[in-house]
Amino acid sequence: MTYYPHPRRSALKDHFPLANALFDYALAPGALMIFAYLSYLRFLVAPFVGETCRGVSRALGMSENTVRKHLRALSRCRLAQIEGGKCVPLGWMRREDAKNFFPLPMEIFQFHLTPGAFAVYAYLLNREHRKTFDCIVSANKIAKATGMTRNTVRKYVGELEEQMLIETERTSVITKKHLKYNGALRYRIIPVQTALDYLHERQLTELERKRDRALVRKKLEKQRKASVKEVRTVVSHVVREPEELPF
């Protein structure tokens, strides 16, 4: 496992807090992501008057109907409500009160994670050790906390690894009879700035790739037009040639 030096974290600086008890509500990943986004906006903007369903839909890549469905679930749990056509989170904390809360990086929404991957990432941050920034937790526990199956959790862990937000390491367990078995994975949270640098590098590479493809298409189109013009010239000569033959 690669070591990434972590800057000193603070729940009140460059991060926004979510309550540890949030996973006790058994929210769907989409509802959890919407509540986190509303909490992020409320922490970032003061005074926060709410966000429209369309704004949440565009920011998180969900349909408006899906957003409304999850908001109804949040409303039943008394975690959010709609006032004047805008979504507002309830049960908010004060900025100076970081007890019983875990921090999420403010840049997390730049990665455009799927709701399932976001839920897994949030749970790992909830469980991580605040000094070593890692945690050992089984796929069963993650699945139970996020309301997903083990296979689905593994898929979203792969998505987080692909985004360079986490890395995993297999652990082992030795019994009293000195038998060695595979243990749960050790998850290490990579500093979000490292993940952002990797994201920007990938975006730059993709832009360069698109530019190269555009140049190739332009060159091929130019060659195609030249070939068509040449073929038309040859056909024109072939058509005119019998008229020039003497009889």
Side-chain angles (χ1 to χ4, degrees):
M1 181 176 288
T2 309
Y3 173 73
Y4 296 95
H6 279 261
R8 186 175 181 180
R9 287 190 194 170
S10 171
L12 305 177
K13 182 180 179 182
D14 301 327
H15 291 73
F16 66 98
L18 289 179
N20 291 332
L22 189 60
F23 291 97
D24 296 339
Y25 290 91
L27 297 174
L32 175 66
M33 191 174 189
I34 290 173
F35 179 78
Y37 181 67
L38 294 175
S39 299
Y40 158 74
L41 291 179
R42 190 166 184 177
F43 188 80
L44 190 65
V45 181
F48 179 66
V49 296
E51 178 63 288
T52 63
C53 290
R54 178 173 295 183
V56 176
S57 172
R58 290 178 177 177
L60 303 182
M62 302 179 187
S63 67
E64 290 189 42
N65 290 335
T66 302
V67 171
R68 291 191 182 94
K69 181 187 73 173
H70 290 313
L71 282 173
R72 286 194 293 269
L74 291 172
S75 180
R76 287 193 296 269
C77 297
R78 298 182 180 180
L79 291 174
Q81 64 182 13
I82 299 180
E83 295 178 351
K86 293 188 176 182
C87 317
V88 181
L90 301 177
W92 183 239
M93 66 171 289
R94 299 173 301 170
R95 283 175 176 263
E96 62 272 15
D97 182 14
K99 187 177 180 181
N100 298 324
F101 288 79
F102 67 96
L104 271 174
M106 291 188 177
E107 301 89 348
I108 189 60
F109 296 105
Q110 296 184 28
F111 294 90
H112 302 291
L113 296 174
T114 57
F118 182 89
V120 172
Y121 183 71
Y123 182 72
L124 293 177
L125 281 175
N126 173 262
R127 299 282 297 180
E128 75 165 353
H129 193 281
R130 296 296 183 261
K131 292 184 178 180
T132 61
F133 306 107
D134 62 5
C135 64
I136 300 178
V137 59
S138 67
N140 287 332
K141 286 186 178 180
I142 300 176
K144 184 177 179 180
T146 57
M148 297 183 286
T149 64
R150 290 180 58 184
N151 290 336
T152 307
V153 167
R154 292 191 184 99
K155 181 183 76 171
Y156 290 130
V157 166
E159 180 181 338
L160 294 173
E161 287 183 307
E162 184 180 349
Q163 294 275 18
M164 280 286 288
L165 286 166
I166 66 170
E167 63 176 355
T168 60
E169 181 184 16
R170 176 64 66 182
T171 61
S172 59
V173 177
I174 300 178
T175 65
K176 293 181 179 180
K177 297 181 179 180
H178 303 288
L179 297 177
K180 187 176 181 180
Y181 295 95
N182 289 332
L185 288 178
R186 175 185 281 112
Y187 299 90
R188 181 170 178 80
I189 310 300
I190 297 177
V192 70
Q193 188 57 52
T194 302
L196 271 178
D197 293 342
Y198 178 70
L199 174 65
H200 295 159
E201 183 179 347
R202 286 200 311 170
Q203 291 174 340
L204 182 60
T205 302
E206 183 62 25
L207 287 174
E208 292 175 349
R209 189 179 295 114
K210 288 182 179 179
R211 183 198 62 185
D212 293 341
R213 284 200 295 263
L215 291 175
V216 169
R217 282 197 299 267
K218 187 176 180 180
K219 186 175 181 180
L220 290 175
E221 182 66 18
K222 187 176 180 181
Q223 292 176 352
R224 186 188 68 81
K225 290 181 179 180
S227 300
V228 170
K229 185 177 180 180
E230 184 179 350
V231 169
R232 287 178 178 174
T233 304
V234 172
V235 171
S236 176
H237 285 310
V238 170
V239 172
R240 293 175 184 175
E241 186 176 353
E243 299 177 359
E244 299 174 357
L245 291 176
F247 290 96

